[in-house]
Amino acid sequence: MNKGFTLVELLAVIIILAISSLIVIPLTLNIVNKSKKESEVINEKIYLNAVKQAVTQKNLTTPFKPKSCFITSDGNILCKENKTKVELEIKSKGTKPCNGKIEFNEEGVITSKTLKFICETPSFKDDDWETIISNVEVGNIDSYNVGDEKTIELTGDVSGKYKVRIANKETPEECSNPE
């Protein structure tokens, strides 16, 4: 007598495995997605607490009432009003966002936030102008290279699409004057 499985038995096992995987895979993916969302919420809370502490600490030495701050790619904040960079001390790995914006009211309370924790390497072509400006102001320009291009669209008398190209990374004297 030959020992082995018949074709019907093998098909039955394959069908059972297929049905099991159709049930188990979505459940597993739901658990992973739920964990990611919970992790983002926790990271956001840790980060915003660090921002509140940093702003409070800055206020102890000099009046510091930011209205709008950008999050730089290193997770610190750069506030537009007085071009102050606030470095945040966060020990946990992965809790600093790499992009975004935080707005404050007159009392220094956060009124709105946009935090991005997963970012690609900054690129001149893909970054918006606010991100480019905040990266340049804090000296985070390593990913912007001479020759990189960005297409912009202008309206009015000179309407149309134009390419802007990085010509150099030096700041000429005439560009240092804020007026």
Side-chain angles (χ1 to χ4, degrees), residues 6-22:
T6 65
L7 185 57
V8 172
E9 290 171 328
L10 288 174
L11 284 174
V13 169
I14 291 171
I15 289 172
I16 291 170
L17 288 173
I19 290 171
S20 297
S21 66
L22 286 173

Side-chain angles (χ1 to χ4, degrees), residues 168-177:
N168 66 51
K169 288 185 166 185
E170 303 299 318
T171 304
E173 188 64 36
E174 63 267 17
C175 293
S176 299
N177 189 352

Side-chain angles (χ1 to χ4, degrees), residues 26-72:
L27 291 175
T28 306
L29 290 175
N30 284 341
I31 291 169
V32 169
N33 288 336
K34 186 177 177 185
S35 297
K36 283 182 182 178
K37 286 179 185 174
E38 289 173 0
S39 172
E40 285 179 14
V41 169
I42 291 169
N43 285 343
E44 186 174 297
K45 286 180 183 178
I46 291 169
Y47 182 76
L48 292 176
N49 281 334
V51 168
K52 289 175 192 174
Q53 288 176 348
V55 168
T56 302
Q57 194 164 1
K58 279 270 189 198
N59 269 322
L60 292 175
T61 55
T62 53
F64 179 68
K65 298 289 183 193
K67 291 184 180 120
S68 176
C69 297
F70 294 99
I71 298 167
T72 60

